[in-house]
Amino acid sequence: MTEAMPAGMPVLKVDRLSVDARTPQGRKPVIEDIGFELNAGETLCIAGESGSGKSVTSLSIMGLLPKASLQIASGSIRLDGRELTKLSNSAMRHVRGGEAAMIFQEPMTSLNPVMSIGAQLTEAIREHQSSRDAEAIALDMLDKVQITEAARRLKQYPHELSGGMRQRVMIAMALSCRPKVLIADEPTTALDVTVQAQILTLMCELKAEFGTSIILITHDMGVVAEMADRVVIMQNGRIVEQGPSMEIFGHPHELYTRQLLAAVPRLGAHAGTDGPPRVSKSEIHLPTPGKTPVLNVRDLGVTYGGGTGFLFKRKAGAASVMDVSFDIMPGETMGLVGESGSGKSTTGKAVLGLIPFSGAVQIDGRSIAGLGQREMKPVRRAAQMIFQDPYASLDPRMSVGKAVAEPLVIHDIGNKTERQDRVAELLRRVGLTPDAASRYPHEFSGGQRQRICIARALALEPKLIVADESVAALDVSVRARVLDLMLELQETMGLAYLFISHDMAVIERMSHKVAVMRAGRIVESGTRREIFESPREDYTKALMAAVPIPDPAAYRRSAV
C-alpha cells in the first residue's frame, strides 16, 4: 500500500490525455485531450457508444495499450500523485493488481483456457499477497461473487462455465487483492439481472469497506444510475459532458447525452400491449398465421454424458434441461429469460441440433432428431443462431466480409459480385459501413463484433433465428437500432425469434410470449402481458425487481 495522499488530492487524475493509432496512412487520434478526476471512495461511470474510446481510456490507465497499434501521444495519468505514463513495465506490474485492478469485458479471451480457475485465481493472489493463504482467499472470493459449488469450480476450466460464471471469476480475480482503484469494463454485461444486482452490491461493499475507488465503464444507463457518483459521457474519442449523476440524468446539457438516455429500454414501458411496437413503414407480408409452428419443441431434455477426461468434468447423467416444451409461430417472438446456468443457452443450441438432445424438435415442420450433417443442411438454411460471445464466434483469420458471406458460399447462393453486394447491404443494415468487410474481428469493439454476427445470421434470410444474448454487448443506442432492425425484419419477412436474454426490459420490448427458466425447467410461461403484468412465481418477480432503473433519484429515495 502507498502512503496516504494529502486531503483533497484525487486518487487518480487523467489530464489532457490523447492516444493515437498507428495506421498505414499515419497516426490517427483515438482519444483526444480528455481529462477527469477520481476521488477516494468514489464511483465514476464512463458511458458512451461502442468505439467512443471508453475501453482505450481504461487500457491507457493500466498501461495495457497494444504498443504495435496504439500509443499515448500526450497527457498525464497520475495515481496517488505518481505519474504512470513514465513507469517501466516492471514497475507497472506492481501497480497492476495491487494498486489498480481491471475487470475486462470479454472473460473468455481474458482467461487462460489451459489453466484451471483455481490456478488463475491463486496466481494473481500470490503475486500481490500471501502465497500461504492463496487458495483460501480464492475460495472466499468465489463465494462472494455468488458462484455455486465454489470448491468444485476451482478445479474446472473456463470452457466448463457459462458466460456469466466466467465473468464472475474475472470479478473475483480483480477484487481478490483489494485494489485502491478498480476499473470495471462492462463487468455485468454477461450477467443476469439478479447476479448483476449481487455483483454491484459487492462492489459497493468493497468501496465502503476499503475506500476503493471505482471507474465503471458500461453502456447500461440503469447501472450508471445505480452506481455513479459522477458520470463522464464520451463520443468519438472525446468527453462531451461530465458531472454529478443527478445532474446528468436530471438535466443533461448535450444532445448526445439526451439521445443516450432516450434509447434506454425501461421495464413497464410497454404495459397494456400484447406485442412489440411496430417499427416498419413498409407493407407487411406475413405468412398465413395459426397453422404450422416454425419451431415446435416437446419434452426437450439435455443430459451430460460424464467421463473423466479433460473435456468431461460433469457427472454422468447430470441433466441441464428437462421437460421443456413450447411453440413459436411465424412472425412471433418467444422470450426465454432466467439466470446464468438456468439452461437458456443449452435450450437454444439443442433446438438447432447443435448438441445431443432427447424429446422432439421440429423446424418448419421437419423433425431434426437423428439427422446427420448432410440432412441438416437445408434445415440450417431455415434456422440460424446468433451466439452470446461474438469474439469466439468469429474466425480471427477471416475478414469480416468473408465471415458474413460464408453462409452464402456454403449454400451456393449467388456469384462473387452478388455476394459482395449482399454483404455490403447486411453491414449497412446493422449499422456498419461497407468498408468493414475488408477488416478483421480484432479491429472492432465488442459491440461492433456482435453486429457482424447478426449480419451473418441474416445472410440466408432464415425463418427462425435463435438469438442468444444477441444485444447484450451493444451500447444502448446501437441496441435500440438493432432491436428495431430485428422487429422490422420480423414484420416484413415473418421471421420467428427465440430471443434469449437476461435483460427483462429487452425481453418485454421484443416478445409476444415469455418463458421463464430456472434450473433447467420452465417455471412460468405465458403472454408478454401475463408475465410482466401478472407474474405468478416469486422467481419471476425477483427477476423483475432486480432490473436497474435508469433514474438515480429512485436509488437515493430507496436509500433514505
Side-chain angles (χ1 to χ4, degrees):
M1 298 290 289
T2 58
E3 295 183 1
M5 295 179 299
M9 179 181 289
V11 64
L12 178 73
K13 182 175 181 179
V14 176
D15 186 31
R16 303 183 69 84
L17 180 67
S18 295
V19 174
D20 289 349
R22 293 189 177 100
T23 71
Q25 293 75 37
R27 293 187 178 275
K28 178 182 178 182
V30 177
I31 58 176
E32 297 183 79
D33 202 29
I34 68 169
F36 56 83
E37 295 180 354
L38 178 68
N39 298 315
E42 182 181 53
T43 297
L44 176 74
C45 284
I46 303 178
E49 294 181 296
S50 298
S52 63
K54 307 187 302 296
S55 294
V56 171
T57 300
S58 64
L59 292 174
S60 300
I61 295 169
M62 296 296 294
L64 292 174
L65 289 175
K67 294 183 179 179
S69 56
L70 293 174
Q71 183 177 9
I72 293 177
S74 61
S76 169
I77 302 171
R78 301 185 73 84
L79 176 65
D80 276 5
R82 185 184 188 187
E83 181 59 54
L84 299 186
T85 61
K86 306 298 184 184
L87 293 184
S88 66
N89 288 334
S90 60
M92 277 302 299
R93 286 191 63 186
H94 291 290
V95 172
R96 287 192 291 265
E99 297 180 50
M102 186 167 178
I103 304 167
F104 293 93
Q105 181 175 356
E106 293 181 342
M108 194 59 177
T109 57
S110 302
L111 293 168
N112 190 327
V114 298
M115 288 179 65
S116 69
I117 297 302
Q120 295 185 67
L121 272 170
T122 55
E123 181 183 43
I125 295 166
R126 288 190 176 103
E127 179 71 21
H128 297 284
Q129 297 189 70
S130 168
S131 59
R132 181 188 309 171
D133 302 324
E135 290 190 7
I137 294 172
L139 187 64
D140 178 60
M141 290 309 304
L142 289 186
D143 283 330
K144 284 187 175 181
V145 296
Q146 305 296 321
I147 285 185
T148 58
E149 301 179 87
R152 184 166 71 90
R153 305 298 182 192
L154 288 174
K155 300 177 182 179
Q156 291 185 305
Y157 290 81
H159 73 274
E160 298 179 83
L161 305 182
S162 69
M165 285 185 176
R166 287 194 291 263
Q167 189 63 292
R168 280 179 267 178
V169 169
M170 289 299 302
I171 293 170
M173 193 180 300
L175 298 179
S176 62
C177 296
R178 304 295 194 264
K180 184 170 293 185
V181 173
L182 176 64
I183 301 175
D185 188 354
E186 302 283 4
T188 59
T189 294
L191 304 182
D192 55 78
V193 288
T194 53
V195 177
Q196 173 179 268
Q198 294 162 5
I199 294 302
L200 295 178
T201 298
L202 175 64
M203 292 172 68
C204 289
E205 290 172 352
L206 179 72
K207 182 176 76 168
E209 183 176 354
F210 297 98
T212 302
S213 303
I214 297 174
I215 295 178
L216 180 60
I217 297 171
T218 181
H219 61 253
D220 189 330
M221 298 305 287
V223 171
V224 173
E226 180 177 353
M227 294 290 290
D229 297 304
R230 290 187 300 115
V231 181
V232 169
I233 304 294
M234 291 191 70
Q235 182 185 28
N236 298 328
R238 294 181 176 272
I239 292 176
V240 296
E241 185 167 4
Q242 62 176 306
S245 176
M246 293 287 286
E247 180 180 322
I248 294 295
F249 279 83
H251 306 284
H253 299 295
E254 298 296 322
L255 175 62
Y256 178 69
T257 307
R258 295 195 292 271
Q259 290 172 338
L260 276 183
L261 294 173
V264 177
R266 297 169 187 264
L267 194 65
H270 303 287
T273 60
D274 296 314
R278 175 166 163 72
V279 298
S280 176
K281 297 179 181 179
S282 58
E283 288 291 325
I284 300 176
H285 299 290
L286 293 181
T288 303
K291 292 191 177 179
T292 304
V294 69
L295 178 63
N296 175 270
V297 180
R298 288 292 177 269
D299 301 321
L300 180 73
V302 177
T303 302
Y304 292 98
T308 57
F310 176 74
L311 295 175
F312 300 96
K313 298 295 183 181
R314 293 181 183 268
K315 295 180 180 179
S320 177
V321 171
M322 297 161 281
D323 304 321
V324 168
S325 299
F326 57 85
D327 293 328
I328 304 179
M329 305 302 295
E332 184 177 62
T333 298
M334 191 183 86
L336 192 59
V337 67
E339 294 178 297
S340 297
S342 63
K344 306 186 304 295
S345 294
T346 299
T347 298
K349 293 172 184 175
V351 301
L352 292 185
L354 298 178
I355 56 175
F357 65 88
S358 61
V361 176
Q362 289 187 342
I363 295 176
D364 200 24
R366 183 174 184 179
S367 174
I368 69 168
L371 295 185
Q373 288 295 325
R374 182 175 298 179
E375 298 166 309
M376 279 295 294
K377 187 173 180 179
V379 178
R380 301 223 185 279
R381 184 166 179 176
Q384 291 286 300
M385 186 165 189
I386 304 168
F387 292 94
Q388 180 176 356
D389 188 338
Y391 198 72
S393 303
L394 295 168
D395 188 335
R397 301 165 299 177
M398 185 180 288
S399 70
V400 165
K402 288 184 177 180
V404 176
E406 187 178 30
L408 302 173
V409 174
I410 291 172
H411 290 268
D412 196 25
I413 298 173
N415 56 38
K416 183 177 180 180
T417 300
E418 291 169 339
R419 290 169 189 160
Q420 289 175 341
D421 291 342
R422 175 69 173 153
V423 167
E425 173 59 23
L426 287 167
L427 291 174
R428 275 193 291 265
R429 296 198 77 173
V430 297
L432 297 172
T433 56
D435 62 6
S438 62
R439 296 159 63 190
Y440 288 81
H442 72 274
E443 299 180 72
F444 295 88
S445 68
Q448 289 170 327
R449 284 195 287 265
Q450 190 62 290
R451 283 182 261 172
I452 293 165
C453 292
I454 292 170
R456 183 176 59 183
L458 296 174
L460 297 176
E461 298 183 351
K463 295 182 179 180
L464 169 69
I465 289 181
V466 177
D468 186 1
E469 299 286 5
S470 59
V471 296
L474 304 182
D475 55 77
V476 288
S477 55
V478 175
R479 177 196 301 174
R481 293 197 294 268
V482 170
L483 293 178
D484 281 346
L485 169 64
M486 295 178 74
L487 290 174
E488 178 187 353
L489 292 167
Q490 184 174 59
E491 292 170 1
T492 57
M493 299 167 57
L495 273 175
Y497 295 120
L498 175 59
F499 197 90
I500 300 169
S501 179
H502 62 257
D503 191 323
M504 297 292 285
V506 169
I507 287 285
E508 183 188 27
R509 181 185 178 192
M510 291 295 292
S511 304
H512 297 86
K513 55 189 181 185
V514 179
V516 181
M517 289 196 75
R518 185 181 192 186
R521 296 181 183 272
I522 292 178
V523 297
E524 184 169 7
S525 63
T527 65
R528 185 181 70 177
R529 184 180 292 190
E530 290 171 343
I531 297 299
F532 283 94
E533 297 182 29
S534 303
R536 301 183 302 275
E537 297 292 325
D538 289 341
Y539 178 68
T540 307
K541 296 174 184 177
L543 288 178
M544 296 173 63
V547 176
I549 304 167
D551 179 8
Y555 294 103
R556 306 304 186 272
R557 289 193 296 268
S558 64
V560 175

